[in-house]
Amino acid sequence: MKPTLRSKLDSLVGRLDELNRLLAAEDATKNLDEFRKLSREHSEVSSVVALFQDYLQVERDANDARELAGDAGMKAYADEELKKARASMERLEAELQRALLPKDPNDERNIFLEVRAGTGGDESALFAGDLFRMYARYAERQGWQVEIISESASELGGYKEVIARIVGQGAYSKLKFESGGHRVQRVPETEAQGRIHTSACTVAVLPEAEAVDDVQLNPAELRIDTFRASGAGGQHVNKTESAIRVTHLPTGIVVECQDSRSQHKNREKALAVLAARIRDKQRSEQQAKTASTRKLLIGSGDRSERIRTYNFPQGRVTDHRINLTLYKIDRIMDGELDELVGALQTEHQAEQLSELTAAESA
């Protein structure tokens, strides 16, 4: 094991002892926010330390096997045990390296999911509806909650735009790679001659901002307008100006919300989406400064980049960032995204490891 890695792990062992003392103190729950923060850190550190303890045990087994190899009668057995131990040490070291990779502070946050129709007219809006259903089904499989913040339906079905809040542990960590351009190739229902059309949608995945900590919204920089929500004739939403439009003057970001009958609730939701968009804009600008060369656009929030193609006639889905093609489009559109999400996470970790190794070698 590299000295730098062992040094980090030794320091975590010391930190775990310190956390155990802090959490066992009589006044540990006096500050509940601090207690929760320490509890989360304890959970993260203890899992890494447990892995390190497994490594140390295998390391001891390897040393015992080396000593046994000096006995001619035990040499064959010892060599076999040493071979097994080395393989286990290699596997555990790789796991420990992954466990120590920098954590994205947003990973455990809830998200705002935005899906917008792009080129392709009605077919693009229908595909936007299909994409939203795909993510909603995936969220359902994860046990997450989906709350529509605002929607603009198209005449033939689907959405011109839909924004939803997804609440669930690790929502951002799993869906942050979905930001970008999604292209579909299929025969539209309205196509009489059976020709394949290509259309596109954009997806944005924004971590929910904790407004107090993350984004300070200055009331002087906000223009808030009320208007009547669009909907079926005669409904309550048409009779009161409950819909809200918030404009952030410095950035020009505009958010509308008309999902609730309550103007107060619509205002609250619109401000939450606005905070998330401002925070995402700040994060994207920072990434542009610090990451001038990246093979992947994973997590960069680049909406213009085409990241994935859904080809219905051939039954395939291709993620262009990692050159992965899966021939299970029906299952993917039904929310079975684990294989795609897992492959993107693995590639992202590999890229992080590569950067870490390069930094340590420099």
Side-chain angles (χ1 to χ4, degrees):
M1 179 182 288
K2 294 178 181 177
T4 52
L5 180 58
R6 188 178 286 272
S7 176
K8 288 178 186 175
L9 292 166
D10 285 337
S11 68
L12 282 182
V13 172
R15 178 57 178 166
L16 183 59
D17 289 338
E18 184 182 5
L19 288 168
N20 285 332
R21 288 195 300 274
L22 290 170
L23 290 170
E26 289 184 7
D27 61 347
T29 57
K30 188 175 180 181
N31 184 332
L32 285 177
D33 286 339
E34 183 65 16
F35 180 75
R36 280 192 286 267
K37 181 181 175 183
L38 291 173
S39 296
R40 282 196 299 269
E41 186 184 354
H42 183 275
S43 175
E44 293 172 2
V45 172
S46 60
S47 63
V48 178
V49 170
L51 202 58
F52 184 39
Q53 299 295 351
D54 290 343
Y55 177 90
L56 292 175
Q57 180 58 57
V58 176
E59 190 177 51
R60 287 190 291 269
D61 293 343
N63 290 331
D64 291 343
R66 288 191 190 95
E67 290 181 10
L68 276 178
D71 184 336
M74 298 293 290
K75 189 175 188 313
Y77 169 77
D79 287 346
E80 185 62 28
E81 289 300 299
L82 184 58
K83 183 180 178 182
K84 289 179 183 176
R86 282 173 174 164
S88 294
M89 288 170 65
E90 190 175 320
R91 174 181 57 81
L92 287 167
E93 183 173 351
E95 287 184 34
L96 284 164
Q97 281 186 320
R98 285 194 294 271
L100 288 176
L101 287 173
K103 298 285 192 301
D104 186 331
N106 296 318
D107 273 351
E108 295 306 311
R109 293 186 186 234
N110 303 325
I111 63 170
F112 289 106
L113 171 72
E114 305 182 356
V115 183
R116 293 182 179 82
T119 56
D122 290 332
E123 170 61 11
S124 177
L126 289 170
F127 181 53
D130 292 339
L131 280 179
F132 180 72
R133 178 182 178 277
M134 177 183 80
Y135 292 124
R137 289 283 291 121
Y138 178 69
E140 182 183 314
R141 293 171 187 272
Q142 302 296 315
W144 300 339
Q145 297 176 351
V146 179
E147 172 193 2
I148 292 181
I149 299 296
S150 69
E151 56 184 312
S152 174
S154 69
E155 293 179 2
L156 295 180
Y159 296 105
K160 296 176 184 175
E161 176 186 271
V162 58
I163 301 174
R165 178 174 180 251
I166 297 182
V167 179
Q169 186 173 5
Y172 185 71
S173 70
K174 293 189 174 179
L175 289 179
K176 63 183 176 182
F177 307 127
E178 296 302 303
S179 290
H182 295 243
R183 183 177 67 173
V184 63
Q185 295 171 325
R186 65 183 176 187
V187 179
E189 294 179 12
T190 54
E191 171 57 59
Q193 298 181 25
R195 291 176 299 188
I196 296 173
H197 286 226
T198 298
S199 55
C201 296
T202 57
V203 172
V205 176
L206 314 177
E208 184 177 36
E210 295 174 6
V212 175
D213 298 330
D214 298 337
V215 179
Q216 292 293 336
L217 295 176
N218 183 351
E221 297 177 342
L222 303 178
R223 185 174 74 238
I224 300 178
D225 303 309
T226 59
F227 59 98
R228 291 189 179 184
S230 58
Q235 286 187 350
H236 166 85
V237 290
N238 272 326
K239 297 179 181 178
T240 60
E241 292 197 342
S242 60
I244 291 288
R245 181 186 297 110
V246 181
T247 304
H248 185 241
L249 299 176
T251 61
I253 296 173
V254 180
V255 176
E256 292 183 2
C257 186
Q258 55 179 301
D259 185 60
S260 172
R261 292 185 177 187
S262 162
Q263 185 182 109
H264 176 73
K265 286 184 179 178
N266 282 333
R267 177 191 172 102
E268 188 177 282
K269 290 178 181 179
L271 288 174
V273 174
L274 177 63
R277 287 192 187 169
I278 292 172
R279 190 169 183 276
D280 183 67
K281 185 178 189 326
Q282 294 169 345
R283 184 177 60 88
S284 297
E285 289 172 351
Q286 182 62 32
Q287 283 183 333
K289 292 176 183 176
T290 59
S292 56
T293 57
R294 281 182 69 89
K295 182 170 68 72
L296 297 178
L297 283 167
I298 292 175
S300 72
D302 190 328
R303 314 288 181 248
S304 63
E305 180 73 11
R306 188 190 74 206
I307 64 168
R308 193 175 296 149
T309 295
Y310 304 75
N311 187 302
F312 278 81
Q314 296 179 17
R316 64 175 169 84
V317 175
T318 299
D319 195 289
H320 303 290
R321 295 164 295 181
I322 54 176
N323 295 320
L324 174 67
T325 297
L326 300 174
Y327 288 89
K328 50 172 78 173
I329 195 166
D330 290 341
R331 288 160 60 185
I332 287 171
M333 297 309 295
D334 194 42
E336 291 188 24
L337 299 179
D338 285 334
E339 191 170 353
L340 272 170
V341 168
L344 287 161
Q345 288 178 324
T346 298
E347 184 71 17
H348 183 50
Q349 287 179 343
E351 190 177 71
Q352 283 184 301
L353 278 170
S354 177
E355 290 174 357
L356 189 63
T357 303
E360 290 177 350
S361 301

